[in-house]
Amino acid sequence: MKALSPTDSAFLWMETRNQPMHVAGLNIYTPPKGSGPDFVGKMMEEWRKHLGAQAPFNLKPRLRFGMWYWEEDTDFEMDYHVRHLALPQPGRIRELLALVSRVHGNLMDRNRPLWECYVIEGLPGGRFATYIKMHHALIDGVSGAKLTAQAMSTNVHEIKPPLWAQTLGKAPRPRPAASSKGLLEQLTELAQAGREILPGIGAGLVDLARSAAGEETPIPALKAPPTPFNVEISGSRRFAAQSFALSRLKRIGQAANATVNDVTLAICAGALRQYLQNHAKLPTKPLVAMVPVSLHGETDLGGNQVTLLLAELATHIKDPIKRLEKIKASTTQAKDKLRSMPRLQKMAYGMTSIATFGPALATGLAGKYPPFNLVISNVPGVRETLYMNGASLDEIYPVSIPTHFLALNITISGYRDHLGFGFIACRRSVPALQRMLDYTEQSIAELEEALGLDAPVAKKATTPARKKPRKPAAKRV
Amino acid sequence: MKALSPTDSAFLWMETRNQPMHVAGLNIYTPPKGSGPDFVGKMMEEWRKHLGAQAPFNLKPRLRFGMWYWEEDTDFEMDYHVRHLALPQPGRIRELLALVSRVHGNLMDRNRPLWECYVIEGLPGGRFATYIKMHHALIDGVSGAKLTAQAMSTNVHEIKPPLWAQTLGKAPRPRPAASSKGLLEQLTELAQAGREILPGIGAGLVDLARSAAGEETPIPALKAPPTPFNVEISGSRRFAAQSFALSRLKRIGQAANATVNDVTLAICAGALRQYLQNHAKLPTKPLVAMVPVSLHGETDLGGNQVTLLLAELATHIKDPIKRLEKIKASTTQAKDKLRSMPRLQKMAYGMTSIATFGPALATGLAGKYPPFNLVISNVPGVRETLYMNGASLDEIYPVSIPTHFLALNITISGYRDHLGFGFIACRRSVPALQRMLDYTEQSIAELEEALGLDAPVAKKATTPARKKPRKPAAKRV
């Protein structure tokens, strides 16, 4: 038995039936040429030959004397964790997203290792999907996605054991001995945990950040308006997803002299503006997004060192170019500040930016005075085509965690030449979430038009041919 | 807003992630002749035209000042409650039961009316299934099954609105004014709630039962042995189901001069003996089952007035006829006692029988000294063939509630000329539950052989022709 780190334990303590603490990834595959309708069934038969699971897939949580430990599950049962099901006819992406919406709202059994893999067949043309759900206490979303990618192959002919049977070696973060870590290192750990989701882990965050960063660290002056996204959430979810050609975003970035990250934020900002306007709830003040920023390259502690910045989304501005420019100015200012700091101070800065969220939540003010309105996370992806048992991976969509007072989360993952946008929200607080897909497309088109770029249809024709004709229509809820 | 009765509230308070408090029914249908593969999809399209839900399907729970109330859900969303999905190929009953096992372990969203309906297509020959899950606070299993049956038709040509859109008029039991009910009536209410599941609602039960029934009420002398079924349970479930021709049970009953209820208990006893023997865990003392007994006919308070009796299952006896006789003696003795009592004293007697369960659970002794080992419930069924939108209902299986220290529940429902056995258990405490189906078949065959009756195969041929050839094999996990 190994004790969980304080932050990993926090994900177990914070979890309630309205606020499950798992992350997931939705992958869509095309079976290899010439394979029959039993491809998925045969693959599962092969998987069943692997009787055990490797860390972290064999670990279940156990509470002893008020502390959480990982314990090996000696009765590992693949048929509990791996769930083979099918979409009803006509098996559109619409049915797939409805299914993901439902299963993402269900808590996992804490008497088992905290992960579930759904293998879903019945998409048109023999395509199938996997939805792999892991508890945040076991692994964070970025590491989970990496693990899933590592378990696949870049070689169409390679057959690997299933994800959970491979020794990918990524055991859960161990609990540090109390004396072994300095304050800033603990802060780093907190920042990692807080990369995707924030409230609730804020206990003591203000003090930690303040004392670590010193009084001279500027606390951002941004104030976010109350929105329908900053409310207590229910236990049901809605998931919407669509992918867009990276080339379109790059072209916008070149024309507007902005990074792809800024363009991504601007696209989300346009979609959010449209959504709130259509619900007659657009605040006069601009929305603020919390954006994780990777510090990769500055550290050898692994790829997950991040800090956070608060970006003004300029949702009060009608003109898409002016909106993008305002966003650029906001993130540039934040990054300039970060650039001048040493790595650990950067982490502290990020923490300070969001530090008010903990107290705001605790005092019940998070709805009235949210420090920010939502998390928009752009996760680095894989460039090469991946294969699982010869089936090619076509699309990847992250499914993150809405929390109380952060009812909507947008996580974006790159894969090959596309960006997969995953919108996950409380089904009740954020009605008609699926329209965000149209608004996102419109938001891109609006920028292209304002910048005098080709119409998206013409541009689409130049993107590499993909497996599905009429892709955008087919991929929407 | 209407306050919940204390017993209905108890089902909400008792619920934990390891002990969900919902009951369900699994129905299997054959679409009408000549209907295409889109029959289910079209039916759901028709259902979507009904925008609202009627009581109790429109009621969600709300906690105010420590009390539960029912509140109307003004944002009723059919696509949340009604879930269309499909079985993966080859779409056997095995895949269906795996699916039911999984969804029965999931808690429902308390921000919504507490019911879910799964419409599952993809069984061989175009057959489909519904799994309808309702919270016990909203409705009990017997009433839920009745409601489902009422919503269907005995006329193949009749198209009715879906279950939730019909005014079946069964609103939840209202909370009585504190002064309006005597002690015995409160007891009646408790007994109704306790019919299917027991521990936890036992708070104060002993006192209630004692004072109501007087000191002279005999407390049964049965003592149940500890078994693998009397342990704390996990949050995951396994469901196994199979139906058997009623004629086989009746023939055994005639030959052995026993009621169908006693034969049912004897069949379960034989299967339980086999299961425990194969796991090397058969106790030397006989298992004790808690069996709900209907008092219908003696009261006009509705059909749900029940009492409970404890039946010795004689699992220590190898000879199947001697076992049946011992069971008969045990239930006859219990019923003789009941017969001599007025109705309310019967209820009190039933309560007294199980009264030790509450304290035993509270003191953690329920595993060592269980007052009984499992609940075996035989629910009255419907004789006529029912139709839903022209699709004929072929089979009905109840899915009940395992609780801490009662990890296995067997509920049996009659429909037409068959009895549907539903075994629901904690997946971890009761491994290989599906083998209970073979043991049940063997247990029937063993009685038939011992009584010198025809072999079941010969007998089977005389049962009315059903839609599936090789039915028993096809219907097993």
Side-chain angles (χ1 to χ4, degrees):
Chain A
M1 292 214 308
K2 195 190 268 180
L4 270 74
S5 76
T7 46
D8 288 344
S9 298
F11 290 109
L12 291 172
W13 292 122
M14 284 163 69
E15 186 168 70
T16 63
R17 60 193 293 157
N18 282 356
Q19 191 174 263
M21 283 291 150
H22 47 250
V23 290
L26 174 67
N27 289 0
I28 301 177
Y29 306 82
T30 299
K33 261 183 197 149
S35 54
D38 57 349
F39 174 79
V40 172
K42 276 185 183 166
M43 182 174 69
M44 290 203 52
E45 278 311 313
E46 284 306 308
W47 286 355
R48 264 190 205 96
K49 293 177 186 164
H50 300 273
L51 296 180
Q54 299 293 323
F57 299 99
N58 60 347
L59 298 174
K60 59 180 181 178
R62 187 165 162 199
L63 190 62
R64 283 192 68 185
F65 311 116
M67 265 182 64
W68 286 104
Y69 294 82
W70 289 123
E71 187 180 52
E72 200 175 321
D73 184 17
T74 49
D75 295 322
F76 180 79
E77 183 192 4
M78 180 185 128
D79 279 321
Y80 178 77
H81 292 278
V82 186
R83 297 150 180 218
H84 186 188
L85 67 175
L87 296 178
Q89 286 307 313
R92 294 161 299 184
I93 294 290
R94 177 193 170 118
E95 279 78 27
L96 177 63
L97 297 184
L99 195 151
V100 169
S101 299
R102 285 199 314 263
V103 294
H104 203 66
N106 291 329
L107 292 169
M108 288 191 276
D109 183 1
R110 289 191 173 181
N111 300 80
R112 308 259 180 180
L114 291 171
W115 64 278
E116 295 169 359
C117 169
Y118 293 77
V119 185
I120 306 150
E121 59 181 50
L123 282 164
R127 294 212 301 162
F128 66 96
T130 59
Y131 160 87
I132 302 177
K133 176 168 159 178
M134 303 185 206
H135 202 283
H136 206 305
L138 196 66
I139 202 163
D140 64 78
V142 172
S143 308
K146 269 194 191 158
L147 215 62
T148 311
Q150 274 173 43
M152 287 187 266
S153 177
T154 51
N155 177 349
V156 65
H157 300 294
E158 188 179 13
I159 309 285
K160 284 184 165 186
L163 172 63
W164 50 93
Q166 293 187 37
T167 48
L168 298 162
K170 185 86 183 180
R173 304 174 279 269
R175 182 191 174 77
S179 59
S180 76
K181 289 218 173 181
L183 185 63
L184 286 176
E185 272 160 300
Q186 287 178 39
L187 196 63
T188 308
E189 210 172 75
L190 273 173
Q192 285 182 47
R195 191 181 53 251
E196 289 152 277
I197 56 155
L198 286 157
I201 57 165
L205 215 57
V206 186
D207 295 341
L208 257 181
R210 289 240 165 96
S211 60
E215 281 309 311
E216 62 279 28
T217 302
I219 294 178
L222 292 177
K223 287 228 173 68
T227 73
F229 309 134
N230 308 109
V231 295
E232 282 199 62
I233 61 170
S234 78
S236 45
R237 298 285 170 269
R238 175 87 79 173
F239 181 60
Q242 187 157 349
S243 69
F244 298 94
L246 187 56
S247 57
R248 289 178 74 184
L249 276 71
K250 279 189 174 160
R251 217 165 40 120
I252 292 169
Q254 280 154 9
N257 191 27
T259 66
V260 168
N261 271 330
D262 287 337
V263 174
T264 308
L265 288 177
I267 289 166
C268 293
L272 289 163
R273 178 182 154 85
Q274 185 72 57
Y275 179 91
L276 291 168
Q277 224 165 20
N278 287 14
H279 287 80
K281 282 179 179 159
L282 181 67
T284 49
K285 285 177 60 186
L287 266 65
V288 175
M290 195 282 274
V291 183
V293 175
S294 174
L295 296 181
H296 193 64
E298 291 192 50
T299 164
D300 54 0
L301 294 178
N304 289 331
Q305 308 299 312
V306 292
T307 185
L308 318 160
L309 62 83
L310 295 183
E312 199 196 292
L313 291 182
T315 45
H316 60 312
I317 299 175
K318 188 167 184 273
D319 182 283
I321 298 180
K322 283 188 186 148
R323 205 186 305 133
L324 171 55
E325 270 165 15
K326 185 86 183 161
I327 290 168
K328 214 175 90 181
S330 164
T331 60
T332 305
Q333 194 192 5
K335 281 184 283 188
D336 281 348
K337 267 186 205 145
L338 282 176
R339 204 163 291 129
S340 62
M341 297 176 194
R343 190 176 62 86
L344 286 173
Q345 200 185 339
K346 276 177 200 165
M347 312 261 346
Y349 171 74
M351 283 290 107
T352 315
S353 315
I354 57 144
T356 47
F357 212 92
L361 191 70
T363 57
L365 290 174
K368 263 193 184 162
Y369 307 109
F372 53 94
N373 299 105
L374 78 162
V375 178
I376 302 178
S377 184
N378 201 339
V379 168
V382 176
R383 288 269 166 213
E384 300 159 278
T385 298
L386 295 175
Y387 298 92
M388 181 173 69
N389 281 40
S392 72
L393 175 59
D394 299 338
E395 299 162 39
I396 291 182
Y397 300 101
V399 195
S400 193
I401 307 178
T403 64
H404 285 311
F405 302 105
L406 293 173
L408 169 65
N409 173 300
I410 308 177
T411 301
I412 300 139
S413 174
Y415 174 57
R416 297 197 302 201
D417 52 359
H418 274 66
L419 288 179
F421 282 61
F423 299 83
I424 182 80
C426 163
R427 195 177 178 101
R428 184 133 270 179
S429 332
V430 189
L433 177 72
Q434 63 278 27
R435 289 197 201 127
M436 285 292 291
L437 303 181
D438 285 323
Y439 303 154
T440 305
E441 168 63 41
Q442 283 162 25
S443 182
I444 300 176
E446 195 185 45
L447 276 164
E448 285 169 332
E449 206 189 314
L451 291 163
L453 300 169
D454 306 346
V457 176
K459 188 69 199 166
K460 272 214 153 288
T462 69
T463 60
R466 307 195 76 205
K467 296 223 158 56
K468 304 125 282 149
R470 304 191 302 109
K471 193 185 120 271
K475 287 172 68 182
R476 286 195 193 165
V477 176
Chain B
M1 292 218 305
K2 197 190 266 179
L4 269 75
S5 75
T7 45
D8 288 343
S9 299
F11 289 109
L12 291 171
W13 291 122
M14 285 163 68
E15 186 167 71
T16 63
R17 60 192 294 157
N18 282 357
Q19 190 174 264
M21 283 291 150
H22 47 249
V23 289
L26 174 66
N27 289 358
I28 301 178
Y29 305 83
T30 299
K33 263 183 197 149
S35 54
D38 57 350
F39 174 79
V40 171
K42 276 185 181 166
M43 182 173 71
M44 290 203 54
E45 278 311 314
E46 285 304 309
W47 286 355
R48 264 190 206 98
K49 293 178 186 164
H50 300 273
L51 297 179
Q54 298 293 323
F57 299 98
N58 60 347
L59 299 175
K60 59 181 182 177
R62 187 168 163 200
L63 189 62
R64 284 191 67 185
F65 312 117
M67 266 182 62
W68 286 102
Y69 293 83
W70 290 121
E71 186 179 52
E72 200 174 322
D73 184 16
T74 50
D75 294 323
F76 179 80
E77 184 191 4
M78 181 187 127
D79 280 320
Y80 178 77
H81 292 279
V82 186
R83 297 149 179 218
H84 187 191
L85 65 176
L87 297 178
Q89 286 307 314
R92 292 160 300 182
I93 293 291
R94 177 194 172 119
E95 278 79 26
L96 178 63
L97 297 183
L99 195 151
V100 170
S101 300
R102 284 198 315 263
V103 293
H104 203 66
N106 291 330
L107 292 169
M108 288 191 276
D109 182 1
R110 289 191 173 182
N111 300 80
R112 306 262 182 177
L114 292 170
W115 64 277
E116 294 170 359
C117 169
Y118 293 76
V119 184
I120 307 149
E121 58 181 51
L123 283 163
R127 293 213 302 163
F128 67 96
T130 59
Y131 160 87
I132 302 178
K133 175 169 162 177
M134 304 185 207
H135 202 282
H136 206 305
L138 196 66
I139 202 163
D140 64 78
V142 173
S143 307
K146 268 192 191 162
L147 215 62
T148 312
Q150 275 172 43
M152 286 186 267
S153 176
T154 52
N155 178 348
V156 64
H157 300 295
E158 189 179 13
I159 309 283
K160 283 183 166 188
L163 172 63
W164 50 94
Q166 294 187 37
T167 48
L168 298 162
K170 187 85 183 182
R173 303 173 278 270
R175 181 190 174 77
S179 59
S180 76
K181 290 218 171 181
L183 184 63
L184 286 176
E185 275 160 300
Q186 288 178 40
L187 197 62
T188 309
E189 211 171 74
L190 272 174
Q192 285 181 46
R195 189 179 54 249
E196 287 153 279
I197 56 155
L198 288 159
I201 57 165
L205 216 59
V206 187
D207 295 339
L208 256 181
R210 289 241 165 96
S211 60
E215 282 308 312
E216 62 277 28
T217 302
I219 293 179
L222 293 177
K223 286 228 175 66
T227 74
F229 309 134
N230 308 109
V231 296
E232 281 200 64
I233 61 170
S234 78
S236 44
R237 299 286 170 269
R238 176 85 80 173
F239 181 61
Q242 186 158 347
S243 68
F244 298 94
L246 186 56
S247 57
R248 289 178 75 184
L249 276 74
K250 278 187 174 160
R251 217 165 42 120
I252 292 170
Q254 279 154 10
N257 191 28
T259 65
V260 169
N261 271 330
D262 287 338
V263 175
T264 307
L265 287 177
I267 290 166
C268 293
L272 289 163
R273 179 182 153 85
Q274 186 71 56
Y275 178 91
L276 290 168
Q277 225 166 19
N278 287 15
H279 287 81
K281 282 181 181 159
L282 181 67
T284 50
K285 284 178 58 185
L287 266 64
V288 176
M290 195 283 274
V291 184
V293 175
S294 173
L295 297 180
H296 193 65
E298 290 193 49
T299 164
D300 55 0
L301 294 179
N304 290 332
Q305 308 299 313
V306 291
T307 186
L308 318 161
L309 62 82
L310 294 184
E312 200 195 292
L313 291 182
T315 44
H316 60 312
I317 300 175
K318 188 166 184 274
D319 183 285
I321 298 179
K322 282 188 187 149
R323 204 186 306 132
L324 172 54
E325 270 165 14
K326 186 86 184 160
I327 290 169
K328 212 175 93 182
S330 165
T331 61
T332 304
Q333 194 192 6
K335 281 186 282 187
D336 281 349
K337 267 186 205 148
L338 282 177
R339 204 162 290 130
S340 64
M341 297 176 194
R343 189 176 64 85
L344 285 174
Q345 201 185 339
K346 276 177 199 165
M347 313 261 347
Y349 171 74
M351 283 292 106
T352 315
S353 315
I354 58 146
T356 46
F357 212 91
L361 190 69
T363 57
L365 290 173
K368 262 193 185 162
Y369 307 109
F372 53 93
N373 299 104
L374 79 162
V375 178
I376 302 179
S377 183
N378 199 339
V379 168
V382 176
R383 289 269 166 211
E384 301 159 277
T385 299
L386 295 175
Y387 298 92
M388 182 172 68
N389 281 39
S392 72
L393 175 59
D394 299 338
E395 299 163 39
I396 291 182
Y397 300 101
V399 194
S400 192
I401 307 178
T403 64
H404 285 312
F405 301 105
L406 293 173
L408 169 66
N409 172 300
I410 308 178
T411 300
I412 300 137
S413 174
Y415 174 56
R416 298 197 304 201
D417 53 0
H418 274 66
L419 289 179
F421 282 61
F423 300 82
I424 181 81
C426 163
R427 195 178 178 102
R428 185 133 267 178
S429 333
V430 190
L433 177 73
Q434 62 277 26
R435 287 194 204 131
M436 284 292 291
L437 303 180
D438 285 322
Y439 303 155
T440 304
E441 168 64 41
Q442 283 163 24
S443 183
I444 300 176
E446 194 185 46
L447 275 164
E448 285 169 334
E449 204 189 316
L451 291 163
L453 301 168
D454 306 346
V457 177
K459 189 69 200 168
K460 272 213 154 281
T462 70
T463 60
R466 307 195 78 205
K467 297 223 156 58
K468 305 124 283 150
R470 302 191 303 113
K471 194 184 119 274
K475 286 172 68 184
R476 286 191 195 168
V477 177

